């Protein structure tokens, strides 16, 4: 299908109205323009599940080494070593191998008691309040404390760390994010913690990173440099805080829109793990990822030339009726296989196990105290960012 045939169809990733509800446009893209080209921002996009999944797998055609964000690829910035999600093999293989020792499902599941305690600390004071902000009072608190615990960041400093990481992702509504070599993935925020932890080792992720030995891409046996650790920690803090906070926010709105299913979860918590997967499918915190096109590739009779940028529309793929029957329907009992919210292939999210246990425990503890709530939509506000999509403020009313 030629792009010109659907000239009235526009997918502007910075459009505020589309950002608020991208799914009608996603559906049109899947049906009318499975390969889409945007001349304003000069990118291509695929929207069907099979094409997005294939794009995430095909690292020879769609490379990550120039970044995974449209604006970042366009800025042509050299990636510092350690930005795992923006690396290709062999460097990616080395760095992923290091972190995979830490983020195993077994180790992440072992954090459940601490995660549950962090949830209780946020939620218990809200009982009887009648109204609170699900993001500010809960969704932004627990993930910050978990990442702070893993990295050994003092609790008194965790708010400041989270706020600075969040600020680095914010954009002006309707405008692309700006990147520069000097400001990209700066680890200065964590420098003092790393230096202090080097002198005072403990049982945390930062200590493990400081002490781990590995064989790098040149075959040299060594430890991570200070600069590499700074980059690692910055990426982990950003990913661990932002996406889980968005997951909790989407759980709040989606379940408020489906009160019958929320009641089922409150009555039968064994359904919650499946509900977390369905929320991730239905409202993925990262609705699209970008790739640099390393060689010409054909899609539906169109040639996407080498040097292009391809957007892989995960949020569209996750609702593709070809993969998920009645994909726009939310169903906590759905059992249609793996979604793409955590990616696929070599860049499958290393923090998926942590996000799943955090999401499950958060929803268990929320429903235990508040089996019903309503969202004050007039007071809710989506965050302004082109990398993740979710609520910045989410006031809820407790009947």
């Amino acid at each position: 299908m030629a792009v010109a045939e659907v000239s009235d169809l526009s997918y502007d990733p910075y459009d505020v109205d589309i950002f608020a509800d991208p799914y009608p446009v996603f559906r049109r893209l899947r049906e009318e323009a499975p390969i889409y080209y945007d001349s304003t921002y000069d990118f291509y996009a695929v929207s069907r599940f099979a094409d997005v999944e294939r794009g995430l797998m095909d690292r020879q055609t769609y490379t990550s080494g120039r970044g995974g964000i449209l604006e970042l690829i366009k800025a042509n910035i050299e990636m510092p070593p350690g930005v795992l999600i923006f690396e290709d093999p062999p460097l990616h293989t080395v760095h992923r191998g290091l972190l995979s020792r830490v983020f195993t499902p077994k180790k992440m599941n072992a954090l459940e008691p601490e995660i549950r305690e962090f949830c209780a600390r946020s939620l218990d004071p809200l009982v009887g309040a009648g109204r609170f902000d699900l993001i500010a009072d809960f969704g932004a608190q627990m993930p910050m404390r978990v990442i702070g615990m893993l990295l050994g960041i003092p609790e008194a400093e965790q708010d400041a760390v989270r706020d600075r990481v969040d600020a680095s992702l914010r954009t002006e509504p309707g405008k692309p994010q700006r990147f520069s070599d000097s400001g990209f993935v700066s680890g200065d925020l964590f420098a003092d913690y790393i230096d202090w932890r080097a002198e005072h080792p403990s049982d945390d992720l930062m200590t493990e990173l400081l002490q781990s030995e590995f064989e790098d891409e040149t075959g040299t046996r060594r430890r991570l440099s200070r600069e590499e650790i700074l980059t690692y920690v910055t990426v982990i803090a950003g990913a661990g805080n932002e996406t889980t906070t968005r997951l909790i926010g989407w759980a709040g709105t989606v379940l408020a829109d489906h009160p019958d299913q929320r009641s089922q979860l409150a009555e039968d918590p064994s359904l919650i793990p499946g509900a977390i997967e369905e929320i991730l499918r239905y409202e993925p915190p990262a609705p699209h990822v970008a790739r640099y096109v390393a060689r010409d590739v054909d899609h539906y009779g169109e040639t996407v030339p080498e040097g292009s940028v391809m957007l892989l529309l995960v949020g569209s793929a996750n609702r593709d009726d070809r993969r998920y029957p009645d994909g726009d329907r939310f169903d906590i009992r759905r059992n249609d296989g793996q979604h793409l919210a955590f990616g696929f292939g070599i860049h499958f999210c290393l923090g998926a196990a942590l996000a799943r246990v955090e999401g499950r425990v958060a929803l268990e503890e929320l429903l235990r105290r508040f089996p019903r709530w309503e969202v004050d939509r007039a007071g809710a506000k989506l965050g302004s960012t082109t990398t993740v999509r979710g609520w910045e403020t989410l006031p809820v009313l407790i009947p």
Side-chain angles (χ1 to χ4, degrees), residues 20-145:
D21 182 12
Y23 298 105
V25 175
F26 284 167
R27 175 169 287 280
R28 282 198 65 191
L29 288 172
R30 291 195 301 269
E31 301 308 319
E32 302 174 40
I35 179 65
Y36 170 80
Y37 176 70
D38 183 271
S39 59
T40 303
Y41 297 104
D42 186 26
F43 69 85
Y44 290 83
V46 289
S47 49
R48 293 179 179 176
F49 183 94
D51 297 320
V52 174
E53 182 184 52
R54 190 180 304 114
L56 292 170
M57 285 288 291
D58 185 359
R59 60 184 177 85
Q60 282 78 29
T61 303
Y62 305 104
T63 64
S64 301
R66 296 183 182 228
I69 302 169
L70 174 59
E71 304 97 308
L72 187 55
I73 298 174
K74 292 290 186 181
N76 198 28
I77 293 174
E78 184 176 352
M79 297 294 110
V83 188
L84 186 70
I85 55 177
F86 301 154
E87 290 180 339
D88 296 312
L91 194 60
H92 172 269
T93 305
V94 172
H95 289 155
R96 186 179 179 92
L98 265 174
L99 282 182
S100 65
R101 304 176 191 174
V102 179
F103 286 95
T104 65
K106 182 178 181 180
K107 287 184 178 180
M108 295 303 98
N109 287 328
L111 298 175
E112 181 172 333
E114 288 87 351
I115 294 171
R116 203 171 292 281
E117 179 188 348
F118 293 149
C119 290
R121 284 175 55 183
S122 292
L123 292 171
D124 283 346
L126 303 175
V127 174
R131 177 189 177 99
F132 59 87
D133 189 323
L134 189 61
I135 300 300
D137 296 326
F138 181 43
Q141 297 296 321
M142 180 270 286
M144 169 195 69
R145 290 182 176 131

Side-chain angles (χ1 to χ4, degrees), residues 96-376:
R96 186 179 179 92
L98 265 174
L99 282 182
S100 65
R101 304 176 191 174
V102 179
F103 286 95
T104 65
K106 182 178 181 180
K107 287 184 178 180
M108 295 303 98
N109 287 328
L111 298 175
E112 181 172 333
E114 288 87 351
I115 294 171
R116 203 171 292 281
E117 179 188 348
F118 293 149
C119 290
R121 284 175 55 183
S122 292
L123 292 171
D124 283 346
L126 303 175
V127 174
R131 177 189 177 99
F132 59 87
D133 189 323
L134 189 61
I135 300 300
D137 296 326
F138 181 43
Q141 297 296 321
M142 180 270 286
M144 169 195 69
R145 290 182 176 131
V146 173
I147 291 297
M149 174 182 64
L150 287 173
L151 297 178
I153 299 171
E155 189 162 321
E157 304 293 333
Q158 289 173 8
D159 281 323
V161 169
R162 181 202 61 212
D163 292 345
R164 282 188 59 181
V165 170
D166 286 353
S168 70
L169 298 173
R170 293 296 175 267
T171 64
E172 293 183 51
K175 295 185 179 181
Q177 188 169 358
R178 295 183 180 276
F179 292 95
S180 65
D181 290 286
S182 59
F184 180 66
V185 197
S186 171
D188 294 344
L189 178 61
F190 300 98
D192 291 342
Y193 304 135
I194 288 175
D195 294 340
W196 187 87
R197 186 57 76 197
E199 299 282 334
H200 305 83
S202 181
D203 182 22
D204 58 27
L205 173 58
M206 195 175 284
T207 300
E208 189 159 348
L209 289 176
L210 284 163
Q211 296 180 347
S212 291
E213 291 189 355
F214 68 101
E215 186 176 292
D216 68 17
E217 70 278 10
T218 70
T220 303
R221 188 78 182 172
R222 64 179 180 90
R223 291 185 177 183
L224 287 169
S225 68
R226 183 174 182 273
E227 290 71 24
E228 287 173 319
I229 293 175
L230 283 170
T231 303
Y232 261 51
V233 171
T234 302
V235 172
I236 292 167
N241 272 310
E242 191 76 12
T243 54
T244 306
T245 297
R246 302 304 163 217
L247 168 60
I248 292 171
W250 285 122
T253 52
V254 173
L255 293 177
D257 290 340
H258 299 84
D260 291 346
Q261 297 190 60
R262 181 179 58 192
S263 295
Q264 294 177 44
L265 296 177
E267 294 169 4
D268 184 0
S270 70
L271 297 173
I272 289 178
I276 293 297
E277 299 304 314
E278 178 67 349
I279 293 165
L280 286 165
R281 181 198 70 85
Y282 193 75
E283 289 285 11
H288 54 69
V289 296
R291 292 288 187 266
Y292 177 79
V293 181
R295 60 189 181 187
D296 290 359
V297 59
D298 291 332
H299 284 278
Y300 302 96
E302 293 285 327
T303 297
V304 178
E306 176 185 346
S308 301
V309 179
M310 177 67 79
L311 279 188
L312 306 172
L313 302 180
V314 171
S316 174
N318 275 354
R319 294 200 184 193
D320 187 353
D321 296 332
R322 298 165 186 79
R323 178 65 179 77
Y324 303 101
D326 197 6
D328 284 326
R329 177 176 55 86
F330 179 76
D331 181 3
I332 59 172
R333 297 177 184 271
R334 185 184 292 272
N335 186 24
D336 295 324
Q338 182 175 322
H339 54 73
L340 298 178
F342 289 126
F344 198 67
I346 66 169
H347 283 286
F348 183 82
C349 178
L350 263 176
L354 177 59
R356 282 174 165 135
V357 68
E358 284 181 314
R360 173 177 60 80
V361 173
L363 194 49
E364 287 173 357
E365 295 299 317
L366 182 67
L367 287 167
R368 181 173 292 126
R369 294 164 178 81
F370 309 106
R372 293 182 298 153
W373 63 83
E374 296 177 3
V375 172
D376 175 9

